[in-house]
Amino acid sequence: MIRFGVIGTNFITDRFLKAGECCGEFKLVAVYSRTMERAKEYAQVHGAKYAFDTLETLAECEEVDAVYVASPNACHAKQSILMMEHGKHVLCEKAVASNSRELEEVLAAAEKAQVVFLEAVRQIYMPGFQAIQENLHKLGTIRRASFSYCKYSSRYDNYKNGIIENAFNPNLSNGSLMDIGVYGVHMLGAFFGMPERIQSAGLKLSNGVDGEGTILAEYAGMLAEVTYSKISDLNIPAQIQGENGTMLIEQMTEPVKLTIISRDGSEEVIELPETEPPMVHEIRKFAELAEAGTVNHKYLENSRIEMKIIDEARRQQGIVFPADAQ
């Protein structure tokens, strides 16, 4: 049993706690919010023993073993480091940091404190991800991959009406790339590693936040693209194309169905229906790593590659965050 504290009381935390109810490894004991009123309200609703309105008191609480960080991206690194300096394991929402420099500071803190740090990119820990890996050989030599996630944001209507919420605030290290482009970037790195070269372009909105973009990645013998948008919808599956066939991945962020279409026209359908909330798998993986004390685990390299790709894409698109100057 891992006793959790949570930083953030938004809808993502709601989903996380719903998944936690399905995990015997999980127990919520503490809630942090910027106001004590909100912290107590959220703690009461979800059965947490403690409510805090300062990060220091949460970090010092001896009844908390681990912390789930679901604050704006600009806060991830500093909050994670503070928790780890006090001996807490950290499960941090994506994007894991504002940039590679911040991420390396986070990982150094985890190493020094000998605690587990893990990025909560949910699809990486789902059975569908493993099924993709196990079936890639059927495609032959891989020549192209396309990871697309374009979803018209419910907050975009508010943006157009002059209400700038966190998701469209570049001062919080947010925007389309950091919010949903990160899913495709993380998948790219997890499957194929660091590209030899990338080219990137994006569309900025009136306040300088990126609304959509594309990353073209070059590897030896193959190309890959990541397409993302918070201002339009795209309803096609992700694809990995090989010389012998193509794999279609429905719901890239929560892969539950794969279709392999061979060059001869035959099809193989692999269905992996989820009976539990998708975030269950990241909690279980985190608990497994924490209980074993596996500080230097394989998933850290995925986060490193993700940040390196994002850093270069932002450089090419001219996306600059206040955190970059720190």
Side-chain angles (χ1 to χ4, degrees), residues 8 16 67 71 100 131 136 154 172 177 201 245 252 257 260 303:
F16 176 76
V67 176
S71 52
S100 292
L136 275 181
S154 58
L172 297 177
L177 174 58
M252 182 190 70
K257 181 180 179 181
I260 299 174
S303 295

Side-chain angles (χ1 to χ4, degrees), residues 21-79:
E21 294 174 1
C22 302
C23 298
E25 304 92 338
F26 180 93
K27 181 179 180 181
L28 177 68
V29 297
V31 171
Y32 162 81
S33 186
R34 288 173 294 176
T35 68
M36 182 58 75
E37 180 182 10
R38 175 59 175 161
K40 286 182 176 179
E41 176 188 23
Y42 201 82
Q44 182 176 13
V45 168
H46 294 281
K49 182 178 180 181
Y50 298 104
F52 300 111
D53 61 354
T54 71
L55 291 165
E56 289 73 19
T57 50
L58 170 59
E60 291 167 359
C61 182
E62 295 183 355
E63 292 189 45
V64 174
D65 304 313
V67 176
Y68 171 65
V69 177
S71 52
N73 295 335
C75 303
H76 287 178
K78 288 183 179 180
Q79 292 177 349

Side-chain angles (χ1 to χ4, degrees), residues 95-112:
V96 68
S98 296
N99 50 49
S100 292
R101 174 187 53 77
E102 281 193 349
L103 176 59
E104 292 305 323
E105 292 172 357
V106 167
L107 299 186
E111 178 69 28
K112 182 177 181 180

